Amino acid sequence: MEITQKFPGVYQIHDHLATENLTPTIKVYGEKLEELEGKEYRIWDPRRSKLAAAVLKGMTTFPFRIDSKVLYLGASAGTTPSHISDIIREGWVYCVEFSPRMMRSLLDVCQLRENMIPLLEDATKPRNYLPLLQKVDVLYSDVAQPKQSELFMNNMRLFSKSDGIGIIMIKARSIDVTQSPKKVFREEESKLKTGGFRVLEKINLEPYEKDHRALICEFAF
Ligand SMILES: C[S@@+](CC[C@H](N)C(=O)[O-])C[C@H]1O[C@@H](n2cnc3c(N)ncnc32)[C@H](O)[C@@H]1O
């Protein structure tokens, strides 16, 4: 079987994306495991993870490094955070999730992965977890909320290093079901620009996710 590296820590095995399993033999969401050249890889499903979808749809600014510090907003049960944990194996990922039900599943994942730090917090109130965090290299936001952009910018301003990269997964229907997704995306992008951010990449996530767009941003100064 052939394996190629797409980005640091991200591999392609045949047509599938994969990350090297930090916790060999253990699956997080029923994903397939592949053993190759003495290492175990977890197949990364683009229909379960918007970051995998963005990579497959041509993302070029992939900011994660082996020792990156990451703040993840909307960690849910840990599907995408677990792949980030595989990639940044010498760094750590703070996982913010406000639903106690999702947090219970997330805790099972974090218990086995020492570089995942669970935080039962509301991402609209970042000052509540300000004392717990250090500045991060990458902020990833996937909260599917009406105020997604505002929440993303507020967290970026408090927690991102000045040269940090932000990734926001915009779900048009969570913002306004009555507007066309195109219009919603334009408005969210304009909010980010007015808020002092430069949009480096815009990635449409179809066919993996309907009416979703990934925006990769940095501070404009
Ligand atoms: C679309 S899911 C995230 C899926 C996850 N990013 C993945 O790829 O594995 C959105 C999650 O954001 C959480 N969420 C929504 N609003 C939030 C908030 N204000 N603070 C923290 N978590 C929030 C929800 O409970 C839900 O688990």
Side-chain angles (χ1 to χ4, degrees), residues 85-98:
S85 145
D86 283 346
I87 296 165
I88 54 111
R89 43 191 54 228
E90 292 170 16
W92 60 80
V93 50
Y94 299 108
C95 299
V96 173
E97 174 53 57
F98 76 168

Side-chain angles (χ1 to χ4, degrees), residues 48-51 72-81 96-99 102 121-125 140 142-145 151 171:
R48 302 286 301 275
S49 169
K50 296 173 197 102
L51 184 56
Y72 194 116
L73 307 176
S76 198
T79 301
T80 303
V96 173
E97 174 53 57
F98 76 168
S99 150
M102 298 322 296
E121 295 284 356
D122 181 347
T124 62
K125 300 186 174 76
Y140 183 100
D142 180 17
V143 291
Q145 281 247 345
L151 172 163
K171 180 176 178 183

Side-chain angles (χ1 to χ4, degrees), residues 24-217:
T25 74
I26 297 168
K27 298 181 182 189
V28 173
Y29 57 103
E31 68 279 20
K32 218 171 150 227
L33 303 178
E34 291 280 2
E35 180 107 21
L36 276 171
E37 296 162 11
K39 290 182 176 167
E40 187 182 273
Y41 296 87
R42 300 165 59 223
I43 299 299
W44 194 4
D45 186 347
R47 295 194 184 269
R48 302 286 301 275
S49 169
K50 296 173 197 102
L51 184 56
V55 169
L56 288 176
K57 287 297 307 283
M59 179 178 187
T60 58
T61 311
F62 192 79
F64 302 95
R65 299 289 171 265
I66 194 162
D67 58 352
S68 294
K69 319 291 181 273
V70 180
L71 171 57
Y72 194 116
L73 307 176
S76 198
T79 301
T80 303
S82 70
H83 284 286
I84 293 177
S85 145
D86 283 346
I87 296 165
I88 54 111
R89 43 191 54 228
E90 292 170 16
W92 60 80
V93 50
Y94 299 108
C95 299
V96 173
E97 174 53 57
F98 76 168
S99 150
R101 192 171 64 86
M102 298 322 296
M103 181 51 76
R104 276 194 286 279
S105 308
L106 180 64
L107 283 175
D108 291 340
V109 181
C110 294
Q111 258 162 16
L112 297 168
R113 290 174 172 263
E114 286 183 356
N115 65 359
M116 285 177 66
I117 302 155
L119 296 163
L120 181 62
E121 295 284 356
D122 181 347
T124 62
K125 300 186 174 76
R127 292 202 176 270
N128 289 354
Y129 45 93
L130 184 60
L132 306 174
L133 266 66
Q134 289 179 21
K135 293 259 179 188
V136 297
D137 304 290
V138 187
L139 190 147
Y140 183 100
S141 182
D142 180 17
V143 291
Q145 281 247 345
K147 299 265 176 211
Q148 293 166 42
S149 301
E150 290 81 354
L151 172 163
F152 168 77
M153 291 190 283
N154 289 338
N155 278 271
M156 277 295 282
R157 290 181 190 116
L158 284 175
F159 300 113
S160 174
K161 291 181 184 168
S162 57
D163 59 351
I165 295 286
I167 301 174
I168 173 168
M169 297 298 174
I170 301 196
K171 180 176 178 183
R173 298 184 67 80
S174 295
I175 294 171
D176 191 343
V177 277
T178 66
Q179 298 285 1
S180 80
K182 265 196 183 145
K183 183 156 185 268
V184 173
F185 294 140
R186 242 194 338 267
E187 283 174 4
E188 296 309 297
E189 203 183 321
S190 140
K191 279 186 206 164
L192 292 170
K193 285 183 182 161
T194 314
F197 293 86
R198 180 178 302 118
V199 177
L200 302 170
E201 277 186 64
K202 314 174 211 184
I203 306 161
N204 178 334
L205 300 184
E206 302 216 12
Y208 304 110
E209 290 280 356
K210 196 171 154 31
D211 300 335
H212 275 75
R213 187 165 285 191
L215 298 182
I216 323 295
C217 312

